[in-house]
């Protein structure tokens, strides 16, 4: 089982709902958070930088050229990572942004996998 956190905004490149990391980044860019919120968000984002590999570093460049539509999913067993994402979700929800948990057993063609996550080319719209 895999889990993904999304908002209602559509990512034009992938035609999928925007993932939580992008949503947080866009809200930060638009200065929507108070300083104390930003402090906690930055702490969480730094934690992810240390504890989650970037699938893009591992993908073959040819795969990236053929299709740029890849979606990241957490493995349901990545409980610590998911707990941190839920804190990010609470910051968005405090600003009126609804965050949805999407779960699936069929995320698409998996192109990368590690202990905590997968990167997949979706078969469906999530």
């Amino acid at each position: 089982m895999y889990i993904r956190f999304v908002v209602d905004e559509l990512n034009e490149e992938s035609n999928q709902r925007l993932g939580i990391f992008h949503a947080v980044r866009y809200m930060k860019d638009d200065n929507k958070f108070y300083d104390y919120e930003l402090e906690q968000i930055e702490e969480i984002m730094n934690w992810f930088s240390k504890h989650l590999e970037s699938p893009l570093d591992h993908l073959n460049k040819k795969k990236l050229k053929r299709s740029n539509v890849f979606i990241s999913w957490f493995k349901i067993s990545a409980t610590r990572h998911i707990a941190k994402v839920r804190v990010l979700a609470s910051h968005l929800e405090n600003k009126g942004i609804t965050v949805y948990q999407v779960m699936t057993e069929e995320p698409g063609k998996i192109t990368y996998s590690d202990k905590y996550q997968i990167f997949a080319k979706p078969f469906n719209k999530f």
Side-chain angles (χ1 to χ4, degrees), residues 28-45:
K28 280 175 47 182
D29 290 349
D30 291 341
N31 297 311
K32 300 290 186 184
F33 296 112
Y34 294 112
D35 288 343
Y36 72 92
E37 293 169 316
L38 274 176
E39 202 172 292
Q40 187 176 28
I41 289 167
E42 287 300 325
E43 183 180 310
I44 293 169
M45 297 305 275

Side-chain angles (χ1 to χ4, degrees), residues 62-77:
K62 289 181 183 176
K63 283 184 183 176
L64 289 176
K65 288 180 183 174
R66 273 190 259 141
S67 172
N68 61 353
V69 179
F70 294 96
I71 304 295
S72 295
W73 295 82
F74 285 104
K75 293 180 177 179
I76 201 71
S77 59

Side-chain angles (χ1 to χ4, degrees), residues 16-58:
Q16 300 283 328
R17 287 193 285 177
L18 194 64
I20 192 163
F21 290 112
H22 282 97
V24 167
R25 187 180 78 213
Y26 295 156
M27 293 282 288
K28 280 175 47 182
D29 290 349
D30 291 341
N31 297 311
K32 300 290 186 184
F33 296 112
Y34 294 112
D35 288 343
Y36 72 92
E37 293 169 316
L38 274 176
E39 202 172 292
Q40 187 176 28
I41 289 167
E42 287 300 325
E43 183 180 310
I44 293 169
M45 297 305 275
N46 288 335
W47 185 89
F48 274 108
S49 291
K50 293 177 186 173
H51 295 94
L52 193 66
E53 292 286 324
S54 170
L56 294 173
D57 294 341
H58 300 280

